[in-house]
PDB file of all heavy atoms in Angstrom:
ATOM      1  N   GLY A 295      48.509  53.598  74.727  1.00 97.00           N
ATOM      2  CA  GLY A 295      48.380  52.520  75.684  1.00 97.00           C
ATOM      3  C   GLY A 295      49.708  52.100  76.249  1.00 97.00           C
ATOM      4  O   GLY A 295      50.747  52.344  75.600  1.00 97.00           O
ATOM      5  N   ALA A 296      49.710  51.500  77.425  1.00 97.00           N
ATOM      6  CA  ALA A 296      50.912  50.973  78.005  1.00 97.00           C
ATOM      7  C   ALA A 296      50.564  50.155  79.226  1.00 97.00           C
ATOM      8  O   ALA A 296      49.572  50.434  79.930  1.00 97.00           O
ATOM      9  CB  ALA A 296      51.876  52.085  78.401  1.00 97.00           C
ATOM     10  N   TYR A 297      51.309  49.115  79.491  1.00 97.00           N
ATOM     11  CA  TYR A 297      51.236  48.323  80.701  1.00 97.00           C
ATOM     12  C   TYR A 297      49.820  47.852  80.995  1.00 97.00           C
ATOM     13  O   TYR A 297      49.329  47.977  82.128  1.00 97.00           O
ATOM     14  CB  TYR A 297      51.940  49.044  81.845  1.00 97.00           C
ATOM     15  CG  TYR A 297      53.353  49.333  81.446  1.00 97.00           C
ATOM     16  CD1 TYR A 297      53.765  50.571  81.002  1.00 97.00           C
ATOM     17  CD2 TYR A 297      54.272  48.257  81.427  1.00 97.00           C
ATOM     18  CE1 TYR A 297      55.028  50.788  80.558  1.00 97.00           C
ATOM     19  CE2 TYR A 297      55.568  48.508  80.954  1.00 97.00           C
ATOM     20  CZ  TYR A 297      55.927  49.735  80.532  1.00 97.00           C
ATOM     21  OH  TYR A 297      57.198  49.911  80.064  1.00 97.00           O
ATOM     22  N   TYR A 330      43.739  49.219  68.312  1.00 96.00           N
ATOM     23  CA  TYR A 330      45.130  49.245  68.773  1.00 96.00           C
ATOM     24  C   TYR A 330      45.890  50.374  68.094  1.00 96.00           C
ATOM     25  O   TYR A 330      46.050  50.336  66.893  1.00 96.00           O
ATOM     26  CB  TYR A 330      45.777  47.885  68.516  1.00 96.00           C
ATOM     27  CG  TYR A 330      47.277  47.848  68.692  1.00 96.00           C
ATOM     28  CD1 TYR A 330      47.864  48.218  69.920  1.00 96.00           C
ATOM     29  CD2 TYR A 330      48.096  47.515  67.640  1.00 96.00           C
ATOM     30  CE1 TYR A 330      49.228  48.235  70.043  1.00 96.00           C
ATOM     31  CE2 TYR A 330      49.485  47.492  67.785  1.00 96.00           C
ATOM     32  CZ  TYR A 330      50.044  47.863  68.993  1.00 96.00           C
ATOM     33  OH  TYR A 330      51.404  47.868  69.154  1.00 96.00           O
ATOM     34  N   ARG A 331      46.294  51.369  68.839  1.00 96.00           N
ATOM     35  CA  ARG A 331      46.943  52.577  68.314  1.00 96.00           C
ATOM     36  C   ARG A 331      46.178  53.128  67.131  1.00 96.00           C
ATOM     37  O   ARG A 331      46.780  53.590  66.157  1.00 96.00           O
ATOM     38  CB  ARG A 331      48.402  52.305  67.928  1.00 96.00           C
ATOM     39  CG  ARG A 331      49.293  51.895  69.081  1.00 96.00           C
ATOM     40  CD  ARG A 331      49.448  53.017  70.122  1.00 96.00           C
ATOM     41  NE  ARG A 331      50.473  52.715  71.053  1.00 96.00           N
ATOM     42  CZ  ARG A 331      50.339  51.894  72.097  1.00 96.00           C
ATOM     43  NH1 ARG A 331      49.161  51.365  72.391  1.00 96.00           N
ATOM     44  NH2 ARG A 331      51.388  51.663  72.914  1.00 96.00           N
ATOM     45  N   TYR A 363      50.581  43.100  83.760  1.00 95.00           N
ATOM     46  CA  TYR A 363      51.664  43.133  82.731  1.00 95.00           C
ATOM     47  C   TYR A 363      52.941  42.535  83.322  1.00 95.00           C
ATOM     48  O   TYR A 363      53.293  42.861  84.462  1.00 95.00           O
ATOM     49  CB  TYR A 363      51.904  44.602  82.315  1.00 95.00           C
ATOM     50  CG  TYR A 363      52.592  44.722  80.977  1.00 95.00           C
ATOM     51  CD1 TYR A 363      51.865  44.765  79.793  1.00 95.00           C
ATOM     52  CD2 TYR A 363      53.967  44.858  80.895  1.00 95.00           C
ATOM     53  CE1 TYR A 363      52.477  44.899  78.565  1.00 95.00           C
ATOM     54  CE2 TYR A 363      54.600  44.999  79.673  1.00 95.00           C
ATOM     55  CZ  TYR A 363      53.854  45.001  78.509  1.00 95.00           C
ATOM     56  OH  TYR A 363      54.468  45.197  77.283  1.00 95.00           O
ATOM     57  N   ASP A 365      56.231  42.784  83.107  1.00 95.00           N
ATOM     58  CA  ASP A 365      57.275  43.649  83.705  1.00 95.00           C
ATOM     59  C   ASP A 365      56.808  44.246  85.042  1.00 95.00           C
ATOM     60  O   ASP A 365      57.598  44.457  85.966  1.00 95.00           O
ATOM     61  CB  ASP A 365      57.656  44.794  82.764  1.00 95.00           C
ATOM     62  CG  ASP A 365      58.458  44.322  81.595  1.00 95.00           C
ATOM     63  OD1 ASP A 365      58.752  43.128  81.535  1.00 95.00           O
ATOM     64  OD2 ASP A 365      58.816  45.164  80.746  1.00 95.00           O
ATOM     65  N   ARG A 391      59.545  52.397  82.652  1.00 95.00           N
ATOM     66  CA  ARG A 391      59.662  53.183  81.435  1.00 95.00           C
ATOM     67  C   ARG A 391      61.031  53.854  81.324  1.00 95.00           C
ATOM     68  O   ARG A 391      61.679  53.808  80.265  1.00 95.00           O
ATOM     69  CB  ARG A 391      58.596  54.295  81.383  1.00 95.00           C
ATOM     70  CG  ARG A 391      57.189  53.795  81.143  1.00 95.00           C
ATOM     71  CD  ARG A 391      56.285  54.979  80.894  1.00 95.00           C
ATOM     72  NE  ARG A 391      56.540  55.606  79.591  1.00 95.00           N
ATOM     73  CZ  ARG A 391      55.901  55.234  78.479  1.00 95.00           C
ATOM     74  NH1 ARG A 391      54.981  54.335  78.495  1.00 95.00           N
ATOM     75  NH2 ARG A 391      56.234  55.829  77.339  1.00 95.00           N
ATOM     76  N   LYS A 394      63.807  51.591  80.218  1.00 90.00           N
ATOM     77  CA  LYS A 394      63.738  51.009  78.897  1.00 90.00           C
ATOM     78  C   LYS A 394      63.713  52.038  77.768  1.00 90.00           C
ATOM     79  O   LYS A 394      64.145  51.809  76.668  1.00 90.00           O
ATOM     80  CB  LYS A 394      62.437  50.190  78.704  1.00 90.00           C
ATOM     81  CG  LYS A 394      62.450  48.916  79.514  1.00 90.00           C
ATOM     82  CD  LYS A 394      61.338  48.066  78.962  1.00 90.00           C
ATOM     83  CE  LYS A 394      61.513  46.669  79.451  1.00 90.00           C
ATOM     84  NZ  LYS A 394      60.661  45.711  78.754  1.00 90.00           N
ATOM     85  N   LEU A 395      63.074  53.179  78.082  1.00 92.00           N
ATOM     86  CA  LEU A 395      62.829  54.154  77.014  1.00 92.00           C
ATOM     87  C   LEU A 395      63.737  55.348  77.198  1.00 92.00           C
ATOM     88  O   LEU A 395      64.067  55.735  78.310  1.00 92.00           O
ATOM     89  CB  LEU A 395      61.347  54.605  77.057  1.00 92.00           C
ATOM     90  CG  LEU A 395      60.315  53.474  77.034  1.00 92.00           C
ATOM     91  CD1 LEU A 395      58.926  54.023  77.194  1.00 92.00           C
ATOM     92  CD2 LEU A 395      60.409  52.682  75.725  1.00 92.00           C
ATOM     93  N   GLY A 405      59.211  57.437  70.752  1.00 95.00           N
ATOM     94  CA  GLY A 405      58.619  56.268  71.412  1.00 95.00           C
ATOM     95  C   GLY A 405      58.690  55.072  70.458  1.00 95.00           C
ATOM     96  O   GLY A 405      59.576  54.997  69.619  1.00 95.00           O
ATOM     97  N   SER A 406      57.749  54.160  70.606  1.00 96.00           N
ATOM     98  CA  SER A 406      57.721  53.000  69.689  1.00 96.00           C
ATOM     99  C   SER A 406      57.541  53.531  68.260  1.00 96.00           C
ATOM    100  O   SER A 406      56.534  54.245  68.000  1.00 96.00           O
ATOM    101  CB  SER A 406      56.544  52.102  70.010  1.00 96.00           C
ATOM    102  OG  SER A 406      56.613  51.589  71.305  1.00 96.00           O
ATOM    103  N   PHE A 408      57.299  51.451  65.545  1.00 98.00           N
ATOM    104  CA  PHE A 408      56.455  50.491  64.825  1.00 98.00           C
ATOM    105  C   PHE A 408      55.377  49.950  65.770  1.00 98.00           C
ATOM    106  O   PHE A 408      55.523  49.947  66.998  1.00 98.00           O
ATOM    107  CB  PHE A 408      57.282  49.318  64.315  1.00 98.00           C
ATOM    108  CG  PHE A 408      58.395  49.760  63.415  1.00 98.00           C
ATOM    109  CD1 PHE A 408      59.711  49.791  63.896  1.00 98.00           C
ATOM    110  CD2 PHE A 408      58.176  50.143  62.114  1.00 98.00           C
ATOM    111  CE1 PHE A 408      60.769  50.222  63.083  1.00 98.00           C
ATOM    112  CE2 PHE A 408      59.202  50.567  61.281  1.00 98.00           C
ATOM    113  CZ  PHE A 408      60.493  50.589  61.785  1.00 98.00           C
ATOM    114  N   LYS A 409      54.278  49.462  65.148  1.00 97.00           N
ATOM    115  CA  LYS A 409      53.233  48.805  65.957  1.00 97.00           C
ATOM    116  C   LYS A 409      53.605  47.332  66.122  1.00 97.00           C
ATOM    117  O   LYS A 409      54.285  46.760  65.275  1.00 97.00           O
ATOM    118  CB  LYS A 409      51.903  48.845  65.203  1.00 97.00           C
ATOM    119  CG  LYS A 409      51.290  50.219  65.099  1.00 97.00           C
ATOM    120  CD  LYS A 409      49.911  50.046  64.441  1.00 97.00           C
ATOM    121  CE  LYS A 409      49.345  51.382  64.062  1.00 97.00           C
ATOM    122  NZ  LYS A 409      48.043  51.277  63.395  1.00 97.00           N
ATOM    123  N   ASN A 410      53.114  46.718  67.180  1.00 98.00           N
ATOM    124  CA  ASN A 410      53.274  45.283  67.320  1.00 98.00           C
ATOM    125  C   ASN A 410      52.358  44.633  66.260  1.00 98.00           C
ATOM    126  O   ASN A 410      51.174  44.991  66.156  1.00 98.00           O
ATOM    127  CB  ASN A 410      52.922  44.842  68.736  1.00 98.00           C
ATOM    128  CG  ASN A 410      54.033  45.186  69.692  1.00 98.00           C
ATOM    129  OD1 ASN A 410      55.198  45.151  69.369  1.00 98.00           O
ATOM    130  ND2 ASN A 410      53.677  45.533  70.947  1.00 98.00           N
ATOM    131  N   PRO A 429      57.555  36.357  72.383  1.00 97.00           N
ATOM    132  CA  PRO A 429      56.324  36.785  73.056  1.00 97.00           C
ATOM    133  C   PRO A 429      55.219  36.828  72.012  1.00 97.00           C
ATOM    134  O   PRO A 429      55.303  37.587  71.044  1.00 97.00           O
ATOM    135  CB  PRO A 429      56.638  38.203  73.578  1.00 97.00           C
ATOM    136  CG  PRO A 429      58.071  38.489  73.199  1.00 97.00           C
ATOM    137  CD  PRO A 429      58.522  37.465  72.202  1.00 97.00           C
ATOM    138  N   SER A 440      55.650  40.592  69.178  1.00 98.00           N
ATOM    139  CA  SER A 440      56.447  41.765  69.542  1.00 98.00           C
ATOM    140  C   SER A 440      57.355  42.221  68.394  1.00 98.00           C
ATOM    141  O   SER A 440      58.226  41.484  67.963  1.00 98.00           O
ATOM    142  CB  SER A 440      57.330  41.403  70.767  1.00 98.00           C
ATOM    143  OG  SER A 440      58.433  42.248  70.811  1.00 98.00           O
ATOM    144  N   ALA A 442      59.524  44.542  68.626  1.00 98.00           N
ATOM    145  CA  ALA A 442      60.911  44.722  69.155  1.00 98.00           C
ATOM    146  C   ALA A 442      61.676  43.398  69.082  1.00 98.00           C
ATOM    147  O   ALA A 442      62.845  43.360  68.686  1.00 98.00           O
ATOM    148  CB  ALA A 442      60.818  45.200  70.603  1.00 98.00           C
ATOM    149  N   TYR A 443      61.016  42.305  69.432  1.00 98.00           N
ATOM    150  CA  TYR A 443      61.643  40.997  69.408  1.00 98.00           C
ATOM    151  C   TYR A 443      62.080  40.645  67.993  1.00 98.00           C
ATOM    152  O   TYR A 443      63.212  40.165  67.741  1.00 98.00           O
ATOM    153  CB  TYR A 443      60.660  39.950  69.943  1.00 98.00           C
ATOM    154  CG  TYR A 443      61.199  38.535  70.036  1.00 98.00           C
ATOM    155  CD1 TYR A 443      61.761  38.051  71.155  1.00 98.00           C
ATOM    156  CD2 TYR A 443      61.107  37.713  68.889  1.00 98.00           C
ATOM    157  CE1 TYR A 443      62.240  36.747  71.215  1.00 98.00           C
ATOM    158  CE2 TYR A 443      61.576  36.392  68.948  1.00 98.00           C
ATOM    159  CZ  TYR A 443      62.154  35.917  70.112  1.00 98.00           C
ATOM    160  OH  TYR A 443      62.640  34.633  70.175  1.00 98.00           O
ATOM    161  N   GLU A 446      64.971  42.669  66.817  1.00 98.00           N
ATOM    162  CA  GLU A 446      66.205  42.172  67.463  1.00 98.00           C
ATOM    163  C   GLU A 446      66.712  40.904  66.793  1.00 98.00           C
ATOM    164  O   GLU A 446      67.904  40.751  66.536  1.00 98.00           O
ATOM    165  CB  GLU A 446      65.876  41.966  68.947  1.00 98.00           C
ATOM    166  CG  GLU A 446      67.150  41.650  69.736  1.00 98.00           C
ATOM    167  CD  GLU A 446      66.922  41.642  71.263  1.00 98.00           C
ATOM    168  OE1 GLU A 446      65.983  42.307  71.719  1.00 98.00           O
ATOM    169  OE2 GLU A 446      67.682  40.959  71.907  1.00 98.00           O
ATOM    170  N   LYS A 451      69.109  45.426  66.464  1.00 97.00           N
ATOM    171  CA  LYS A 451      69.169  46.154  67.735  1.00 97.00           C
ATOM    172  C   LYS A 451      70.486  46.905  67.780  1.00 97.00           C
ATOM    173  O   LYS A 451      71.556  46.311  67.472  1.00 97.00           O
ATOM    174  CB  LYS A 451      69.060  45.194  68.911  1.00 97.00           C
ATOM    175  CG  LYS A 451      68.776  45.907  70.224  1.00 97.00           C
ATOM    176  CD  LYS A 451      68.348  44.858  71.281  1.00 97.00           C
ATOM    177  CE  LYS A 451      67.867  45.612  72.517  1.00 97.00           C
ATOM    178  NZ  LYS A 451      67.196  44.690  73.445  1.00 97.00           N
ATOM    179  N   HIS A 464      66.130  49.056  73.380  1.00 96.00           N
ATOM    180  CA  HIS A 464      64.770  48.664  72.954  1.00 96.00           C
ATOM    181  C   HIS A 464      64.649  48.869  71.473  1.00 96.00           C
ATOM    182  O   HIS A 464      64.649  49.993  70.999  1.00 96.00           O
ATOM    183  CB  HIS A 464      63.716  49.497  73.720  1.00 96.00           C
ATOM    184  CG  HIS A 464      62.378  48.844  73.753  1.00 96.00           C
ATOM    185  ND1 HIS A 464      61.702  48.512  72.594  1.00 96.00           N
ATOM    186  CD2 HIS A 464      61.582  48.421  74.782  1.00 96.00           C
ATOM    187  CE1 HIS A 464      60.544  47.967  72.907  1.00 96.00           C
ATOM    188  NE2 HIS A 464      60.462  47.858  74.257  1.00 96.00           N
ATOM    189  N   SER A 465      64.532  47.730  70.761  1.00 97.00           N
ATOM    190  CA  SER A 465      64.673  47.835  69.309  1.00 97.00           C
ATOM    191  C   SER A 465      63.404  48.354  68.580  1.00 97.00           C
ATOM    192  O   SER A 465      63.419  48.498  67.347  1.00 97.00           O
ATOM    193  CB  SER A 465      65.098  46.480  68.710  1.00 97.00           C
ATOM    194  OG  SER A 465      64.265  45.471  69.206  1.00 97.00           O
ATOM    195  N   LEU A 466      62.333  48.669  69.340  1.00 97.00           N
ATOM    196  CA  LEU A 466      61.172  49.250  68.682  1.00 97.00           C
ATOM    197  C   LEU A 466      61.321  50.772  68.534  1.00 97.00           C
ATOM    198  O   LEU A 466      60.473  51.432  67.936  1.00 97.00           O
ATOM    199  CB  LEU A 466      59.957  48.980  69.624  1.00 97.00           C
ATOM    200  CG  LEU A 466      58.559  48.994  69.060  1.00 97.00           C
ATOM    201  CD1 LEU A 466      58.454  48.231  67.755  1.00 97.00           C
ATOM    202  CD2 LEU A 466      57.568  48.464  70.069  1.00 97.00           C
ATOM    203  N   GLU A 501      54.028  53.059  63.880  1.00 96.00           N
ATOM    204  CA  GLU A 501      53.147  53.638  64.880  1.00 96.00           C
ATOM    205  C   GLU A 501      53.312  55.168  64.806  1.00 96.00           C
ATOM    206  O   GLU A 501      52.385  55.905  64.956  1.00 96.00           O
ATOM    207  CB  GLU A 501      53.505  53.138  66.276  1.00 96.00           C
ATOM    208  CG  GLU A 501      52.359  53.452  67.233  1.00 96.00           C
ATOM    209  CD  GLU A 501      52.773  53.850  68.644  1.00 96.00           C
ATOM    210  OE1 GLU A 501      53.565  53.130  69.245  1.00 96.00           O
ATOM    211  OE2 GLU A 501      52.320  54.869  69.101  1.00 96.00           O
TER     212      GLU A 501
HETATM  213  N1  EPU B 808      61.680  42.922  73.582  1.00 73.61           N
HETATM  214  C1  EPU B 808      62.713  42.439  72.814  1.00 73.61           C
HETATM  215  N2  EPU B 808      63.705  43.301  72.423  1.00 73.61           N
HETATM  216  C2  EPU B 808      63.720  44.625  72.784  1.00 73.61           C
HETATM  217  C3  EPU B 808      62.685  45.101  73.555  1.00 73.61           C
HETATM  218  C4  EPU B 808      61.631  44.242  73.928  1.00 73.61           C
HETATM  219  O1  EPU B 808      62.755  41.263  72.478  1.00 73.61           O
HETATM  220  O2  EPU B 808      64.634  45.315  72.379  1.00 73.61           O
HETATM  221  C5  EPU B 808      60.590  42.036  73.987  1.00 73.61           C
HETATM  222  C6  EPU B 808      60.492  42.034  75.510  1.00 73.61           C
HETATM  223  O3  EPU B 808      61.272  41.042  76.041  1.00 73.61           O
HETATM  224  C7  EPU B 808      59.000  41.786  75.748  1.00 73.61           C
HETATM  225  C8  EPU B 808      58.315  42.294  74.447  1.00 73.61           C
HETATM  226  O4  EPU B 808      59.349  42.564  73.507  1.00 73.61           O
HETATM  227  O5  EPU B 808      58.762  40.384  75.788  1.00 73.61           O
HETATM  228  C9  EPU B 808      57.491  43.500  74.740  1.00 73.61           C
HETATM  229  O6  EPU B 808      58.352  44.563  75.192  1.00 73.61           O
HETATM  230  P1  EPU B 808      57.804  45.810  76.055  1.00 73.61           P
HETATM  231  O7  EPU B 808      57.140  45.336  77.279  1.00 73.61           O
HETATM  232  O8  EPU B 808      58.882  46.805  76.157  1.00 73.61           O
HETATM  233  O9  EPU B 808      56.600  46.355  75.155  1.00 73.61           O
HETATM  234  P2  EPU B 808      56.468  46.659  73.575  1.00 73.61           P
HETATM  235  O10 EPU B 808      55.435  45.694  73.055  1.00 73.61           O
HETATM  236  O11 EPU B 808      57.736  46.694  72.883  1.00 73.61           O
HETATM  237  C10 EPU B 808      54.451  48.282  73.926  1.00 73.61           C
HETATM  238  C11 EPU B 808      54.035  49.642  73.505  1.00 73.61           C
HETATM  239  C12 EPU B 808      54.747  50.692  74.343  1.00 73.61           C
HETATM  240  C13 EPU B 808      54.461  50.449  75.770  1.00 73.61           C
HETATM  241  C14 EPU B 808      54.837  49.046  76.159  1.00 73.61           C
HETATM  242  C15 EPU B 808      54.448  48.660  77.576  1.00 73.61           C
HETATM  243  C16 EPU B 808      53.491  49.454  71.143  1.00 73.61           C
HETATM  244  C17 EPU B 808      53.882  49.818  69.762  1.00 73.61           C
HETATM  245  N3  EPU B 808      54.358  49.839  72.102  1.00 73.61           N
HETATM  246  O12 EPU B 808      55.839  48.124  73.617  1.00 73.61           O
HETATM  247  O13 EPU B 808      54.256  51.958  73.970  1.00 73.61           O
HETATM  248  O14 EPU B 808      55.112  51.385  76.630  1.00 73.61           O
HETATM  249  O15 EPU B 808      54.199  48.099  75.317  1.00 73.61           O
HETATM  250  O16 EPU B 808      53.096  48.455  77.626  1.00 73.61           O
HETATM  251  O17 EPU B 808      52.413  48.899  71.368  1.00 73.61           O
HETATM  252  C18 EPU B 808      54.628  53.727  72.473  1.00 73.61           C
HETATM  253  O18 EPU B 808      53.537  53.408  71.970  1.00 73.61           O
HETATM  254  O19 EPU B 808      55.344  54.679  72.049  1.00 73.61           O
HETATM  255  C19 EPU B 808      55.119  52.941  73.567  1.00 73.61           C
HETATM  256  C20 EPU B 808      56.289  53.167  74.131  1.00 73.61           C
END
Side-chain angles (χ1 to χ4, degrees):
Y297 302 101
Y330 168 58
R331 297 295 193 278
Y363 201 87
D365 286 0
R391 288 189 71 92
K394 289 196 165 193
L395 307 175
S406 299
F408 303 102
K409 292 186 190 177
N410 285 325
S440 157
Y443 181 94
E446 189 171 333
K451 194 166 188 168
H464 201 301
S465 50
L466 202 48
E501 196 217 308

